[in-house]
Amino acid sequence: MTGRWRGTTEQGSEEIMLEDRGDSVVIRVGGDEAVGRRVAGGRIEGEVAGRAGTVRFVLERRGAQLAARFTLTQVDGRTEEPPEVLFVRVEEGGGERTGGSGGEGERPEALVGHWRYTETFARDGISWATDTHLVLEADGVCRSWSRTEGSVSSSEPEERGRWKTEGRELLLQPEGGGAWQSSGHFAADGDRLMLTLPNGDKRVFERL
């Protein structure tokens, strides 16, 4: 989520700056700053107390957009809920990135890093553990390999390619081009990445 985002409110165009810190996100609007925390489903929630009352906010990714909802509870107890605001990321050159099935898509900062999924087996005196590594780099490069240790030992060579997301789906493309393949729907929460595979199986990766 780190970066500059732009949306349109009833008062006109507004920009916010986000700094992703894993379990929390720092939000800067003008000269004001607030810290939100990650909750279930990858949402960011937080609140800011001021002279006019308390503002509670919820941020949620929706594909290439960032949906923001605000609730103001005034000191006299009255509550106001302005319309939801949709933000899009502003690139360094000033343009807005919206993604698309034929382009680079999105590469959420929460997914960038080195991830490991461990699968174990033990039965009838046979045991082994397989570590599957997935590296998602900020520039769109991805690398993956696996290593099995135990009663059976083996290793798979590193594979390289490209990665992107569309909505909540993680897509990988082999090095040299070719069709984008779905790795399932993702949910990232700080140091954990859960992939729900097309067949419904779930794999939980840990950040290294």
Side-chain angles (χ1 to χ4, degrees):
M1 287 189 178
T2 296
R4 186 159 55 105
W5 296 77
R6 179 181 298 148
T8 301
T9 68
E10 294 178 336
Q11 288 73 40
S13 180
E14 182 174 335
E15 290 190 0
I16 61 175
M17 289 291 298
L18 301 183
E19 181 182 346
D20 198 326
R21 295 183 178 178
D23 291 334
S24 63
V25 173
V26 177
I27 302 106
R28 298 184 180 89
V29 182
D32 299 324
E33 180 177 301
V35 178
R37 60 183 180 84
R38 292 188 183 278
V39 297
R43 299 180 355 149
I44 303 297
E45 296 184 358
E47 62 179 37
V48 180
R51 293 182 178 179
T54 300
V55 177
R56 184 176 182 274
F57 58 87
V58 177
L59 305 179
E60 187 174 8
R61 285 294 294 268
R62 294 181 184 169
Q65 296 180 315
L66 180 69
R69 298 191 300 277
F70 302 91
T71 302
L72 170 62
T73 302
Q74 301 184 17
V75 292
D76 60 6
R78 291 182 299 168
T79 299
E80 296 181 12
E81 295 187 10
E84 179 181 84
V85 181
L86 294 177
F87 291 85
V88 293
R89 188 191 300 277
V90 180
E91 300 288 6
E92 291 300 322
E96 298 175 354
R97 185 171 73 186
T98 59
S101 60
E104 282 297 299
E106 286 287 295
R107 293 193 291 272
E109 286 79 3
L111 269 62
V112 174
H114 184 169
W115 303 91
R116 180 183 64 194
Y117 166 71
T118 301
E119 181 181 10
T120 61
F121 175 88
R123 189 173 64 189
D124 299 331
I126 300 175
S127 63
W128 47 259
T130 298
D131 287 333
T132 299
H133 295 260
L134 176 64
V135 178
L136 304 176
E137 300 180 3
D139 61 0
V141 172
C142 68
R143 298 181 287 120
S144 63
W145 68 94
S146 64
R147 175 69 182 174
T148 299
E149 296 285 354
S151 302
V152 177
S153 297
S154 64
S155 62
E156 295 293 334
E158 179 181 283
E159 296 183 355
R160 299 177 63 90
R162 303 284 297 174
W163 74 281
K164 67 177 181 178
T165 64
E166 292 183 357
R168 303 300 298 178
E169 190 172 24
L170 174 63
L171 302 173
L172 303 182
Q173 181 187 52
E175 187 174 34
W180 290 89
Q181 300 293 326
S182 174
S183 291
H185 287 77
F186 69 88
D189 182 10
D191 292 333
R192 294 186 301 173
L193 168 64
M194 184 176 72
L195 292 179
T196 302
L197 307 183
N199 64 3
D201 291 344
K202 300 181 186 298
R203 293 185 175 182
V204 178
F205 290 74
E206 294 183 346
R207 186 187 296 275
L208 297 182

